[in-house]
Amino acid sequence: MLGWGNRHNQLAAGNPEDLEPPVVDARVDTRRIALALGGGAARGWAHIGVLRALAAAGVVPDVVTGCSIGALVGGCLAAGRLDGVEAFARSLSRRRILSLLDFRVSGGGLIGGERLRALLGRDLGDLRIEDLAIPFACVATEIPSGHEVWMTRGSLVEAVRASYALPGVFDPVASEGRTLVDGALVNPIPVTLARGLGADIVICVNLNGDPRLRGTVVPVHGTETPLQPDPPAGWMNRLRLRRGATAVPPIPQAARPASVMTMAFNIAQDRIARSRLAGDPPDLAIVPRVGSIGLFEFHRAAEAIALGRQAAERAMPEILEVVGDP
């Protein structure tokens, strides 16, 4: 449909050596269009729906960048493996998710990540970033320096692993003398990276833009109401509770350690994304309404994909206007 997508359509269809030489035509839009896919854990399956809607409208990117789950989906798109990652996402159940997590009591994270690495290796093999059909790069964070690291070459699998290595959950990834963790710590929606790769127009997918996920200021608050106490420990105390008239309610979900850690990371990611987008705004943002999906509810892929497609379809008139004739 759009002139700037034709060459990538040819590339995806056959051997690059079979491509016809490009014809210089002033009527053809030569601007480079990029997709910047943001982080958001399980909500990131919405990226698949966005990409499906864009493809259906003939919108094919010249550049793809990603962070965290956006790096996974974007890397698979650039490698021509989007069908595979969608099939994998839709196959996930709570039980299968647990089977993919190799929990450990030592190391840099609760999950070693070797099972996921093996799965990525099976699907992506030894693909290198510089050999992908569509130019691709993803963001990671170096610790302890805090440097923003742009993964622009080398193993696609290792780059994606570094970009989604959530601190405290996954082991950091060692790469060329650097220790790398989740890129969402520094650049959750890599618009700047897309522009750094030469993009003229950047469309981003913001997984934290749902109004239900956006915090505000609480101007008046007191401390008169105490936090709910933890249930008494030990079997004797539990026995006393059963015999008495007073029952202690369970700890709310939001106060559990794992939930506190992931929610805190999500809040920080949202604030960082707002700041980065204010300094280098995209030409257009697609915002799936995924606030109802929990960060680790990867088994809800079908719902997330549908929400992503709906968001892209809602924004399609603006998208076509942005990527249309210069």
Side-chain angles (χ1 to χ4, degrees):
M1 174 179 175
L2 301 174
W4 46 263
N6 290 341
R7 188 167 177 81
H8 284 311
N9 286 336
Q10 287 180 300
L11 198 56
N15 191 316
E17 297 178 356
D18 296 334
L19 288 173
E20 298 176 0
V23 177
V24 177
D25 188 337
R27 295 171 298 176
V28 174
D29 190 348
T30 59
R31 296 171 301 169
R32 288 166 61 82
I33 312 298
L35 293 180
L37 307 183
R43 295 166 184 153
W45 295 140
H47 289 314
I48 298 172
V50 170
L51 296 175
R52 294 302 191 193
L54 292 175
V59 179
V60 181
D62 298 290
V63 174
V64 178
T65 63
C67 176
S68 201
I69 186 72
L72 172 63
V73 176
C76 288
L77 172 68
R81 309 292 171 84
L82 189 62
D83 288 347
V85 75
E86 180 173 358
F88 167 74
R90 290 182 180 276
S91 73
L92 290 175
S93 62
R94 285 189 175 92
R95 177 173 293 184
R96 188 177 183 199
I97 292 169
L98 287 175
S99 73
L100 294 172
L101 304 180
D102 44 347
F103 293 101
R104 54 195 299 178
V105 294
S106 62
L110 296 174
I111 300 170
E114 289 305 314
R115 294 178 186 173
L116 289 173
R117 179 182 185 177
L119 189 64
L120 282 172
R122 185 196 71 187
D123 293 337
L124 299 178
D126 57 357
L127 286 173
R128 296 181 63 83
I129 293 174
E130 57 266 40
D131 297 331
L132 298 177
I134 301 175
F136 169 78
C138 59
V139 179
T141 304
E142 184 186 23
I143 54 173
S145 70
H147 293 325
E148 177 178 333
V149 179
W150 291 0
M151 310 292 285
T152 59
R153 57 183 172 79
S155 166
L156 177 60
V157 169
E158 292 306 299
V160 168
R161 288 185 63 235
S163 192
Y164 72 57
L166 182 65
V169 176
F170 289 104
D171 278 352
V173 174
S175 175
E176 297 185 350
R178 301 182 186 275
T179 302
L180 305 178
V181 295
D182 200 320
L185 288 171
V186 291
N187 196 354
I189 308 172
V191 173
T192 50
L193 173 54
R195 298 202 190 280
L197 293 181
D200 301 297
I201 295 174
V202 180
I203 300 171
C204 82
V205 182
N206 183 359
L207 300 175
N208 292 294
D210 190 322
R212 290 170 291 182
L213 300 173
R214 297 181 70 84
T216 184
V217 175
V218 180
V220 179
H221 181 72
T223 58
E224 286 75 15
T225 303
L227 293 174
Q228 200 64 252
D230 292 345
W235 66 272
M236 286 294 292
N237 284 326
R238 291 196 294 270
L239 180 61
R240 291 192 187 99
L241 281 176
R242 282 196 291 268
R243 290 180 175 177
T246 303
V248 178
I251 301 175
Q253 178 72 27
R256 295 174 183 171
S259 295
V260 170
M261 182 180 71
T262 54
M263 289 178 187
F265 186 86
N266 192 54
I267 291 168
Q269 176 178 280
D270 172 53
R271 298 304 192 273
I272 295 166
R274 292 195 210 184
S275 177
R276 294 297 299 256
L277 293 179
D280 189 6
D283 294 277
L284 188 143
I286 300 172
V287 184
R289 296 171 183 170
V290 289
S292 63
I293 297 177
L295 290 173
F296 288 135
E297 292 184 324
F298 289 95
H299 59 285
R300 297 176 65 181
E303 182 180 351
I305 292 169
L307 291 171
R309 180 183 284 273
Q310 290 168 17
E313 290 173 347
R314 283 195 304 270
M316 195 58 68
E318 294 177 79
I319 294 170
L320 296 179
E321 182 177 356
V322 166
V323 303
D325 294 335

